[in-house]
Amino acid sequence: MLPALRDTLDRLPETRWPRLWLTLLCLALWLPGFFTLPPGDRDESRFAQASRQMVDSGDYVRIRLGQEERNKKPAGIYWAQAASVQAVEALGLGHRGEIWPYRLPSLLGAWLAVLATFHWGRVLVGRRAAFLAAALLASSVVLVVETHIAKTDAALLATVAAAMGLLGRAYLAPPTFTAAQAAGFWAVLGVSILLKGPIGPLVALLAGVTLAAADRGAPWLRRLRPLWGLPLMLAVAAPWFVAIGIATEGRFFSESVGGDMLAKVSAGEEAHGGPPGYYLLLFPLTAFPAAFLALRALPAAWRDRLNPGTRFLLAWAAPSWLMFEAVATKLPHYVLPAFPAVMLLGAAWAMDPLRRPAPRWLAALGMGLLVVVAAALGIAAALLPWFADHRPDPVALLALPAAGLLVWGTLAALRRRGIAQAGLAAALLAVPLYAVVLGGVLPRLTAPWIGPRLAELLAEAAPSGEVQGQFGIVGYHEPSLVFATGADTTLLRDGAAAAGFLAGAPGRIVAVSDRDKAAFFAALEQRALAVRSLGTVEGYNYTRGRRLTLHVFQGAT
């Protein structure tokens, strides 16, 4: 390994400006693709479109997607996205039709989570270990992906990391925990409720109950001032909940609690199910490249469970992880609120000069999984343009040496500098791999980005925007299409409905999938309607796993 890199690995945890260096690492890891990746399906486009309609309408209470109410999540993330869009437009940096302004709250939330992990982790595991843990969290695949998606989870992580950091301080040093810190704890949980309902408070509650049971008491609980803290938490969130209850006549609560939350608990919603152990099996990927270090630390963390800092981190991570494993609906990012604790446990073991080595089989498993996941990412990125667009891409081939560099650098640091430096090397060397995949490969694909390409075709047909309210589509109803073409897009049931839409007014435009084309032309013939072709858009609907062709027609004017 180069001497300069060796010196960097040794000095970074002791730097005079740790937050600055962590910020620069976050930017290097997260900015590739942030501005250039088109809007994704389905959640990102749903959130972004609902926030866009909130800005357009000026109604910051009700949440709507197209013409329908979106009674699933509270308004916190929509407010944050609306504010970021308005700020971007006020500064002249972009406009509400672009996706990246809606991603800014995710980027900011992830950054705050990393800084919170370092700030409060210093009390739990020490400065050097907290720096390493924050770097590992920043480089984890799941958080890198979440920074590129305009939805709740990265922002939620910021509130969880801050609240749990404050709870950890109350647990370790109750006499010095101030009323202002207690107020911060409850206020942050209130913000967490506005972002994603009960998830943040549940993480804190499970940790508190676990600690109280393990310690046979909770002397720290009084220092949290729950008598006025709980009302403060509710007061932060209550005004909007009251307003949305009135505005929707109670529909928000029946649909969000009964139709969304309980459905996820009892059944795999939208086919997102998985067996118990799902998150453990995915951990080598979601925590990549840090998983090899975190896995080695598990036996030592359990042996050290009587240490107050370790005890708190185990109480943070373990019950929350089990809760997410028990829920029927499973998505890789659900377990993200436990990641700061997992990274702090791993970093504490790695930085301990008296640490007991991990079992050989566990160390070999961790390194083997690092190699396998790096190779899988590199090979998948290299082959993706061929499978998606049926073309080779020289840029995509760079993913293979980038993955090889990460593995080589991590192994070299492990042999020569130790496990802690290997973890930091992995975090730093993840930068070129993510840059290739997120900044070079995915934005250059064409097949998955059907909505933006269709919007470009419509812009050529109606450059002044008169297509708004006059465009319908059958066979492709993904949210990214609505974000790209506008909330007035009419989603049609079948080919006959598309013909009827054209007959409704002269000059209307429809897009018809290849599956509905025959029925569309049959209906045109019955109605004696004349149309002209504006072109076709071919692509791959990755949410349904099939290719499709959209034929675009305009009725006679």
Side-chain angles (χ1 to χ4, degrees):
M1 183 177 293
L2 295 176
L5 181 57
R6 291 201 300 268
D7 293 341
T8 299
L9 297 180
D10 287 334
R11 295 174 182 173
L12 268 180
E14 296 291 348
T15 181
R16 291 178 58 188
W17 304 286
R19 294 170 184 82
L20 173 62
W21 289 111
L22 286 172
T23 299
L24 293 176
L25 175 63
C26 289
L27 294 176
L29 288 164
W30 302 342
L31 284 187
F34 183 83
F35 300 97
T36 55
L37 274 171
D41 285 314
R42 294 178 172 143
D43 279 350
E44 176 172 50
S45 294
R46 286 170 175 165
F47 278 99
Q49 180 59 30
S51 299
R52 183 179 182 178
Q53 291 180 221
M54 189 174 278
V55 175
D56 290 341
S57 67
D59 182 351
Y60 292 93
V61 174
R62 285 174 291 189
I63 306 165
R64 303 187 68 86
L65 181 62
Q67 305 304 315
E68 298 180 358
E69 291 179 344
R70 181 165 168 77
N71 294 328
K72 290 180 176 288
K73 302 291 189 297
I77 193 62
Y78 303 102
W79 290 346
Q81 291 180 358
S84 68
V85 168
Q86 290 173 324
V88 165
E89 290 186 337
L91 295 171
L93 301 176
H95 58 83
R96 67 192 65 180
E98 298 175 283
I99 189 61
W100 70 266
Y102 301 90
R103 292 172 176 161
L104 288 176
S106 295
L107 187 77
L108 179 62
W111 174 65
L112 291 175
V114 169
L115 295 188
T117 300
F118 169 72
H119 179 76
W120 280 290
R122 295 176 303 169
V123 177
L124 296 165
V125 298
R127 175 189 171 101
R128 288 173 61 84
F131 184 93
L132 174 59
L136 294 175
L137 177 65
S139 65
S140 62
V141 161
V142 66
L143 189 57
V144 172
V145 170
E146 288 300 318
T147 61
H148 292 76
I149 303 178
K151 58 187 186 70
T152 56
D153 294 279
L156 173 70
L157 181 64
T159 64
V160 170
M164 295 304 293
L166 287 166
L167 181 60
R169 182 159 293 186
Y171 177 73
L172 292 181
T176 64
F177 194 74
T178 66
Q181 291 172 324
F185 170 76
W186 294 108
V188 167
L189 288 181
V191 174
S192 181
I193 291 173
L194 278 174
L195 287 169
K196 205 170 182 178
I199 300 301
L202 272 176
V203 173
L205 176 64
L206 287 172
V209 170
T210 302
L211 290 170
D215 296 341
R216 299 182 181 180
W220 43 269
L221 179 60
R222 190 165 60 89
R223 304 301 299 177
L224 289 175
R225 284 84 168 178
L227 291 180
W228 57 259
L230 278 168
L232 173 61
M233 178 185 74
L234 297 176
V236 171
W240 178 80
F241 281 100
V242 171
I244 193 63
I246 295 172
T248 63
E249 299 178 341
R251 290 188 301 276
F252 176 84
F253 299 105
S254 61
E255 294 176 20
S256 64
V257 177
D260 184 53
M261 186 174 68
L262 294 181
K264 289 181 177 178
V265 172
S266 60
E269 190 179 47
E270 295 185 2
H272 297 312
Y278 172 90
Y279 294 111
L280 183 61
L281 291 174
L282 280 186
F283 186 71
L285 173 61
T286 55
F288 175 86
F292 81 96
L293 188 152
L295 288 173
R296 290 186 183 213
L298 289 178
W302 180 249
R303 287 194 301 267
D304 195 40
R305 63 188 179 277
L306 296 181
N307 178 290
T310 304
R311 197 175 188 82
F312 175 78
L313 292 172
L314 287 171
W316 174 356
S320 296
W321 195 289
L322 292 174
M323 175 185 70
F324 291 119
E325 291 282 13
V327 172
T329 299
K330 292 182 171 65
L331 286 170
H333 62 269
Y334 280 6
V335 78
L336 187 57
F339 266 48
V342 173
M343 298 306 171
L344 286 167
L345 286 169
W349 171 79
M351 285 292 183
D352 184 0
L354 301 179
R355 66 180 177 271
R356 185 185 302 181
R360 288 187 178 181
W361 69 267
L362 190 58
L365 176 64
M367 292 311 301
L369 290 172
L370 176 74
V371 174
V372 169
V373 174
L377 290 174
I379 293 171
L383 296 178
L384 187 57
W386 178 261
F387 285 107
D389 296 341
H390 302 303
R391 62 172 178 83
D393 186 352
V395 173
L397 297 178
L398 295 175
L400 294 171
L405 176 64
L406 187 152
V407 172
W408 172 81
T410 303
L411 290 173
L414 180 63
R415 288 195 301 268
R416 301 178 186 180
R417 311 299 294 179
I419 186 66
Q421 284 75 14
L424 196 53
L428 294 172
L429 294 174
V431 171
L433 178 59
Y434 293 151
V436 172
V437 176
L438 295 170
V441 177
L442 295 180
R444 291 160 58 89
L445 299 176
T446 57
W449 316 126
I450 298 171
R453 290 163 54 214
L454 187 57
E456 291 176 4
L457 192 153
L458 294 176
E460 295 175 1
S464 61
E466 61 266 25
V467 72
Q468 289 300 314
Q470 300 295 311
F471 171 64
I473 185 168
V474 58
Y476 183 73
H477 293 173
E478 298 300 334
S480 62
L481 168 79
V482 178
F483 183 81
T485 59
D488 291 332
T489 296
T490 302
L491 305 179
L492 302 166
R493 184 179 65 257
D494 51 32
F501 177 79
L502 284 185
R508 283 183 170 180
I509 298 176
V510 294
V512 182
S513 72
D514 42 3
R515 294 187 177 187
D516 298 282
K517 189 177 177 182
F520 172 69
F521 277 110
L524 286 180
E525 186 175 353
Q526 290 178 354
R527 293 174 177 267
L529 291 176
V531 297
R532 68 185 184 98
S533 175
L534 299 180
T536 61
V537 173
E538 296 182 2
Y540 181 73
N541 185 350
Y542 54 89
T543 62
R544 294 187 178 274
R546 65 179 181 88
R547 293 191 174 272
L548 80 160
T549 301
L550 294 173
H551 307 269
V552 185
F553 302 97
Q554 185 173 31
T557 57

